[in-house]
Amino acid sequence: MVVVVLEEMRIRSLGVIDDAVVELSPGFTAVTGETGAGKTMVVTSLGLLLGGRADPALVRIGAGKAVVEGRVSVPADASAAVRAEEAGAELDDGALLISRTVSAEGRSRAHLGGRSVPVGLLAELADELVAVHGQTDQQGLLKLTRQRQALDRYAGDAVAVPLAKYAEAYRRLRVVTAELDEITTRARERAQEADMLRYGLDEIAGVEPRAGEDTELAEEAERLGHAEALSAAATAAHAALAGNPEDPEGIDAATLVAGAQRALEAVRSHDPALAALADRIGEIGILLGDVAGELAGYADDLDADPLRLAAVEERRAALGALTRKYGEYEKGVAAVLAWAERSAARLTELDGDDERIGELTAERDALRIELGGLAQALTDARTEAAERFAAAVTAELASLAMPHARVSFDIRQTEDPEGVEVDGRTVAYGPTGADEVELLLAPHPGAPPRPIAKGASGGELSRVMLAVEVVFAGTDPVPTYLFDEVDAGVGGKAAVEIGRRLARLAKSAQVVVVTHLPQVAAFADRQLLVEKTNDGSVTRSGVKVLEGEDRVRELSRMLAGQEDSQTARAHAEELLAAARADA
């Protein structure tokens, strides 16, 4: 039972399509039409809904933007629905609405369940919803990387678990090797750096600067350099406040304030206001006395020793030399001390190079041994899975009019003295292990197995890809499969067998096929016709469901290019009858 179904797509201003609605259903749907009618735009539209690259060249000439909207029925507990709701999307009566807009300027926007989302989220959901296969995917199957990925996907956890461990060890080995290379190749530079740091630290240690010392010395130098002026000013200020013993007739501030207080004390009982003022004048007298005392002490303690001034300036010069070398003038000694702290840590690191090299070398060697063991585990798991995978694909090919074809895998390693040890040999390795995986095809008895890139025709490659996908459907299924001319290069009996196999696949999944072969279309549960109007566009009414006589006419056209040919009609009816009998 299919629980996730692509129900409908609306396409506007995309390629030759002006405005069309593609209504889909569970089971097998075939999309047909004249060459150039826009069938491939169905695949392109679905690709956009699934986070594919937005090409502004797809926007219909004269339109400002292309819009594709899709409706996918998704159970609320499906992982795709849960992920969509986490992104803020809402289900609409059990369906997920997806929208993609591409402007003629190249801007692209995506919406999911009424919420604007990153295009990457659509691609993430696509992995769980739809498998899209076109002619480019057939070419992709020729790449060794894709063939290894297909085998790993089929193997499941048997490969995925050791591969995850291998990938982590491989990542760590790269980090360790890079650090080891950096230390060893830059040994001379690092030794020179250590010598420079050691010299600087020794120079700073010889001066022994203290935090804030430069500020204190600057203040002391200023004071010592103006000692006479400071002493004279303090003495004059003291005399003005407390009087000069050598001038008994002089008037000082303390005497005047005391007189003012006595004048008010005599009448304070007559007015509270004057009493308060008398108290405040008394406080002023006390304050004047305190200041005068501090001025006298300052003058007595002031050191005008030129030797001390010379020592201070010498110390400042030493600190200034350090600042120019190891700090910043504005920050002074603080910058020098910060440099010393950083440099001491760096020197400790550099002085530990020999020990670090030993540690890294040991870790590198251990990781290489670990990688060798994990690579061996991957090889064993892939070899075991390859036998099952090849047997399953070979069995499927028998159902696709290739009864004598045999598929196998060549899993090999390349010797490399700098590699890791696998099965007693030192071989090259990479982020996915040490294996090179290649899919081989022997199309008929007596033919040697050859890489499918060299030994398979276009039609054979189409069937191999379909067989691989059918095998995946039994082990790692997705709800919807969309094939764009998977029958390319195929005809006759092989085409009938492809149609029959797609119909079987549709019993457990939704299958949508863009095809030009009547033998394939005849097996569909539903057939959609894409047709242009006279002005060369595809409108809403240009994608319609074919039933009864209309379907016979379309199959006749596909068979003979003539809808009204009696021979073609008879053949079309025969195809439909055979397909129904096979269902």
Side-chain angles (χ1 to χ4, degrees), residues 54-405:
D55 185 355
L58 295 172
V59 180
R60 184 172 172 78
I61 296 175
K65 61 183 179 180
V67 180
V68 181
E69 299 168 316
R71 181 181 178 88
V72 183
S73 66
V74 183
D77 58 348
S79 58
V82 174
R83 181 67 185 91
E85 289 179 343
E86 289 175 352
E90 295 182 359
L91 293 180
D92 178 26
D93 192 22
L96 195 58
L97 303 181
I98 307 173
S99 174
R100 184 81 181 276
T101 302
V102 181
S103 72
E105 293 78 24
R107 294 188 301 275
S108 172
R109 292 186 174 86
H111 289 81
L112 182 66
R115 183 71 174 267
S116 178
V117 297
V119 173
L121 178 59
L122 300 187
E124 182 181 334
L125 295 179
D127 292 337
E128 303 178 27
L129 298 176
V130 182
V132 181
H133 294 281
Q135 296 184 54
T136 56
D137 297 277
Q138 296 180 29
Q139 297 304 312
L141 190 61
L142 300 179
K143 298 178 180 178
L144 298 187
T145 300
R146 288 285 298 274
Q147 294 172 22
R148 179 193 53 75
Q149 290 172 345
L151 177 58
D152 288 356
R153 177 184 165 194
Y154 177 82
D157 288 345
V159 165
V161 172
L163 182 57
K165 296 178 181 178
Y166 177 95
E168 177 59 27
Y170 180 82
R171 183 200 63 78
R172 178 58 188 164
L173 178 59
R174 286 176 62 88
V175 171
V176 169
T177 302
E179 184 178 353
L180 187 57
D181 289 345
E182 195 271 340
I183 292 177
T184 54
T185 58
R186 294 186 56 216
R188 182 175 180 180
E189 295 177 17
R190 293 167 71 91
Q192 292 174 342
E193 181 185 358
D195 288 343
M196 182 194 72
L197 294 176
R198 195 173 290 109
Y199 175 84
L201 289 170
D202 288 345
E203 187 174 8
I204 293 172
V207 177
E208 295 184 334
R210 291 186 295 103
E213 182 182 5
D214 49 346
T215 302
E216 297 172 3
L217 290 173
E219 294 174 353
E220 186 177 1
E222 184 72 14
R223 186 168 60 251
L224 290 171
H226 299 84
E228 292 183 2
L230 293 172
S231 178
T235 300
H238 178 268
L241 295 179
N244 186 350
E246 298 178 357
D247 185 13
E249 299 297 328
I251 300 175
D252 58 82
T255 301
L256 293 174
V257 170
Q261 184 181 16
R262 286 194 300 272
L264 294 180
E265 287 291 340
V267 296
R268 66 178 294 151
S269 61
H270 302 303
D271 188 345
L274 281 180
L277 291 174
D279 291 339
R280 291 171 64 185
I281 291 174
E283 293 172 359
I284 292 173
I286 295 171
L287 181 59
L288 285 174
D290 291 342
V291 173
E294 291 183 18
L295 286 170
Y298 177 85
D300 292 340
D301 294 339
L302 189 62
D303 187 0
D305 184 0
L307 294 179
R308 174 56 186 168
L309 177 59
V312 169
E313 292 297 351
E314 183 179 355
R315 180 65 176 174
R316 292 185 68 198
L319 294 178
L322 291 181
T323 302
R324 286 190 296 273
K325 286 185 178 181
Y326 308 110
E328 300 174 27
Y329 180 77
E330 296 81 0
K331 297 182 179 179
V333 170
V336 174
L337 295 174
W339 182 91
E341 183 177 357
R342 293 193 305 272
S343 299
R346 175 61 173 165
L347 184 59
T348 299
E349 177 185 338
L350 294 172
D351 285 343
D353 273 1
D354 291 342
E355 180 180 353
R356 183 60 178 155
I357 288 174
E359 293 174 353
L360 290 172
T361 301
E363 184 176 5
R364 180 200 61 189
D365 294 344
L367 284 168
R368 289 170 66 87
I369 293 173
E370 181 183 0
L371 275 180
L374 291 170
Q376 180 68 66
L378 283 172
T379 299
D380 293 343
R382 284 170 176 153
T383 301
E384 190 277 332
E387 294 179 2
R388 293 185 290 109
F389 192 19
V393 173
T394 296
E396 284 298 328
L397 289 176
S399 301
L400 294 173
M402 294 179 67
H404 303 298

Side-chain angles (χ1 to χ4, degrees), residues 497-571:
E497 295 302 330
I498 287 178
R500 180 176 288 116
R501 198 62 192 87
L502 288 170
R504 292 178 188 171
L505 180 60
K507 294 183 182 300
S508 59
Q510 182 183 30
V511 177
V512 180
V513 179
V514 177
T515 182
H516 66 282
L517 291 182
Q519 296 96 325
V520 173
F523 280 89
D525 300 309
R526 184 181 230 199
Q527 185 171 346
L528 302 180
L529 174 65
V530 180
E531 59 183 356
K532 292 182 180 179
T533 57
N534 292 333
D535 64 359
S537 66
V538 177
T539 64
R540 178 185 295 270
S541 60
V543 180
K544 64 180 181 180
V545 179
L546 298 180
E547 295 178 349
E549 181 63 23
D550 289 339
R551 188 172 185 187
V552 173
R553 285 174 58 83
E554 172 63 7
L555 290 176
S556 299
R557 181 199 64 77
M558 297 171 71
L559 282 163
Q562 300 176 352
E563 296 90 333
D564 299 322
S565 166
Q566 292 302 315
T567 302
R569 287 176 58 82
H571 192 182

